[in-house]
Amino acid sequence: MERNVAMIALFAALIAVLGLVPPITLAFGVPVTAQSLGVMLAGTVLGARRGVMAVLLFVGLVALGLPLLAGGRGGLGVFASPTVGYLVGFPVAAFVTGWIVEHWRGANLALVAGFAAVVGGIGIDHAFGVVGMAVVLDRSLAEAALLTAAFIPGDLLKAAIAGMLTAALARARPGSVPSRANV
């Protein structure tokens, strides 16, 4: 029980710290932040249930006003911003990512975790993000999807990093990856 609480708190802190990493601007001018990598890792390492709890703790702290989002944003105002869908989608993204890693056995963990991060951390979170952006900006879903498409290459890189880090952690300390505890 204590170990679960500590890991949940640790991953909420990891997501917050990754929000402090300055954005990396891709060659075509799109800024990529590291925060969604933390959400992906919460799912791939902690699994579905613990990953959701870590992300919900993080989102709760943001709602309380802590400036933990990329760019130092926090407070209830972020829930009315164009990026609200991504924030609301973070827990669902962590759940789906974790669920895939927990249930897809017998394959290379780096590939499984990377695939899970693509499905949950990119597919699910972008679905929420597009809907949120369409609603807040009063755009069609197609227009909102076009606005977010530029972030996909950076997100694919983060998904690959999540897969490699999860596999490396499992090799170095197998007991520290609860998502794969019953392999």
Side-chain angles (χ1 to χ4, degrees):
M1 175 68 166
E2 294 83 15
R3 183 173 186 262
N4 286 338
V5 171
M7 291 186 84
I8 289 165
L10 176 68
F11 273 81
L14 174 67
I15 297 167
V17 167
L18 287 172
L20 299 174
V21 175
I24 297 167
T25 304
L26 298 179
F28 43 94
V30 175
V32 176
T33 65
Q35 200 140 49
S36 58
L37 173 61
V39 174
M40 293 175 189
L41 285 168
T44 60
V45 174
L46 297 181
R49 189 175 57 84
R50 290 178 202 88
V52 166
M53 287 190 240
V55 174
L56 285 174
L57 175 58
F58 170 78
V59 171
L61 293 171
V62 168
L64 288 173
L66 275 68
L68 302 177
L69 289 174
R73 298 173 304 124
L76 294 177
V78 300
F79 292 93
S81 73
T83 59
V84 64
Y86 290 100
L87 185 59
V88 170
F90 276 179
V92 181
F95 178 83
V96 170
T97 301
W99 189 90
I100 291 170
V101 173
E102 288 172 350
H103 290 86
W104 187 0
R105 304 298 184 157
N108 177 303
L109 180 56
L111 292 176
V112 170
F115 175 80
V118 167
V119 172
I122 299 174
I124 297 296
D125 201 41
H126 274 273
F128 276 83
V130 166
V131 170
M133 193 171 287
V135 169
V136 172
L137 296 178
D138 194 29
R139 304 270 190 208
S140 71
L141 289 174
E143 290 171 318
L146 191 58
L147 290 171
T148 66
F151 295 97
I152 300 293
D155 287 341
L156 288 169
L157 177 62
K158 288 182 269 187
I161 291 169
M164 290 184 288
L165 284 176
T166 302
L169 184 59
R171 276 191 305 276
R173 297 194 48 107
S176 65
V177 181
S179 64
R180 298 298 273 196
N182 296 326
V183 175

